Amino acid sequence: MSATNLKLKPQAPPQSPAQVIALEPAARPRLDSRLPRFATQTVTNLLPLLVTLTFLTLAWQLICASPDSSLPAPTRVLEESWELIAHPFYIGQGVDQGLFWHVLASLQRVALGYAMAAAVGVALGTLVGQSALAMRGLDPIFQVLRTVPPLAWLPLSLAAFQDGNPSAIFVIFITAIWPIIINTAVGIRNIPQDYQNVARVLRLNGFEYFAKIMLPAAAPYIFTGLRIGIGLSWLAIVAAEMLIGGVGIGFFIWDAWNSSLISDIIVALIYVGIVGFLLDRIIALIGRAVARGTANA
């Protein structure tokens, strides 16, 4: 009996009816679920600051609580300068103004001097960064002039302008311009070669190259200089106003010293610090928006 070879045909697997699977869009977090997270982040960020401020205030109170202390304690500052704190918008005669108006007068001078320094500084920094000849001719002069203290320019500016207000604006200008020039020049020199090659391929003219390639690529460096410049401007105006007089936070501090109002000086210094911090944050936020997505951002 011979063996018979049986060939088995492969059977297809049983097919199940097709099923349609619907993909549901991801559920958006509800507003009420975001609020606890925001509150947690806020507490986490502010708690260390509040603890530090509380510790420093308590230490200040303990150190200056003695009647023989030459500096007032926080409780004494509140007692002696409460009218100054509670009425910042007070309008009196001459320089007898609330702290808001003194700060506003200083900010107006800073705005004029700083705006001119930003415009001229970015232009000169671009020239120095792009031209080797300009760098050899101008950079040594910039390096020498930037070491001159801001107040050393005040007598010269008073002799030139014969008025305190433009003299203070000039001091702000000459103080803020150097970090803007130097950082802009560094940013221009550090533009990647690939960017310049792209500009040649696209045949961009000078203005298009500056607006579309040079300025965005160097923006992080430029705004670093602008942030340093705004801080130096605020420092310079407070010092300059102590000498030129008139309405301004610097003159207010000097006048309070001449009147032996130490508590008023402390309140004014707190104003100076807060305003300086806000100016720096404003320039930083603008720089972050402009430099987003660019090199070195």
Side-chain angles (χ1 to χ4, degrees):
M1 185 175 181
S2 60
T4 305
N5 295 329
L6 300 177
K7 294 182 179 180
L8 300 177
K9 295 182 178 180
Q11 297 181 355
Q15 298 183 354
S16 57
Q19 297 181 355
V20 178
I21 301 177
L23 298 178
E24 297 182 356
R28 296 181 179 179
R30 297 174 56 186
L31 181 61
D32 55 356
S33 65
R34 297 177 185 176
L35 291 177
R37 185 183 307 173
F38 174 77
T40 302
Q41 292 177 350
T42 302
V43 171
T44 303
N45 294 331
L46 292 181
L47 186 59
L49 175 61
L50 295 177
V51 171
T52 303
L53 289 177
T54 302
F55 174 78
L56 292 176
T57 303
L58 290 176
W60 177 15
Q61 178 68 35
L62 292 175
I63 294 173
C64 300
S66 172
D68 299 331
S69 176
S70 57
L71 293 177
T75 53
R76 183 178 162 193
V77 170
L78 289 175
E79 179 182 353
E80 294 178 349
S81 301
W82 178 249
E83 291 296 323
L84 182 68
I85 299 171
H87 302 93
F89 302 102
Y90 167 75
I91 300 178
Q93 298 293 329
V95 297
D96 184 21
Q97 308 289 334
L99 275 179
F100 172 82
W101 304 110
H102 286 284
V103 171
L104 182 61
S106 299
L107 285 175
Q108 289 174 345
R109 298 186 179 107
V110 168
L112 290 174
Y114 179 74
M116 292 188 295
V120 177
V122 171
L124 288 177
T126 301
L127 176 63
V128 172
Q130 200 173 18
S131 171
L133 183 62
M135 182 180 67
R136 288 193 295 267
L138 295 176
D139 186 66
I141 299 175
F142 294 160
Q143 297 299 332
V144 171
L145 293 179
R146 75 182 183 88
T147 61
V148 178
L151 288 184
W153 294 99
L154 188 58
L156 189 62
S157 62
L158 285 171
F161 297 107
Q162 300 293 318
D163 187 60
N165 196 54
S167 300
I169 294 172
F170 174 77
V171 169
I172 296 167
F173 168 81
I174 205 69
T175 302
I177 194 172
W178 309 122
I180 299 174
I181 291 175
I182 294 171
N183 282 274
T184 301
V186 172
I188 296 299
R189 287 197 296 265
N190 281 278
I191 294 177
Q193 186 63 38
D194 292 342
Y195 289 16
Q196 302 177 25
N197 296 336
V198 170
R200 294 191 187 98
V201 171
L202 297 177
R203 297 181 180 179
L204 300 179
N205 58 38
F207 177 78
E208 291 175 335
Y209 176 70
F210 175 79
K212 297 181 179 180
I213 301 294
M214 187 182 297
L215 190 60
Y221 294 92
I222 294 173
F223 277 93
T224 298
L226 291 174
R227 287 184 66 182
I228 298 173
I230 193 64
L232 293 177
S233 298
W234 189 238
L235 293 175
I237 191 58
V238 173
E241 286 175 344
M242 291 183 178
L243 301 178
I244 65 172
V247 178
I249 191 65
F251 173 75
F252 176 87
I253 293 173
W254 189 248
D255 186 61
W257 164 253
N258 291 329
S259 303
S260 300
L261 301 176
I262 306 301
S263 295
D264 288 0
I265 295 176
I266 293 175
V267 175
L269 290 178
I270 294 174
Y271 268 75
V272 169
I274 293 175
V275 172
F277 172 77
L278 292 177
L279 291 175
D280 178 78
R281 290 293 91 194
I282 291 172
I283 300 299
L285 289 175
I286 296 174
R288 192 175 303 164
V290 173
R292 184 176 300 171
T294 60
N296 300 326

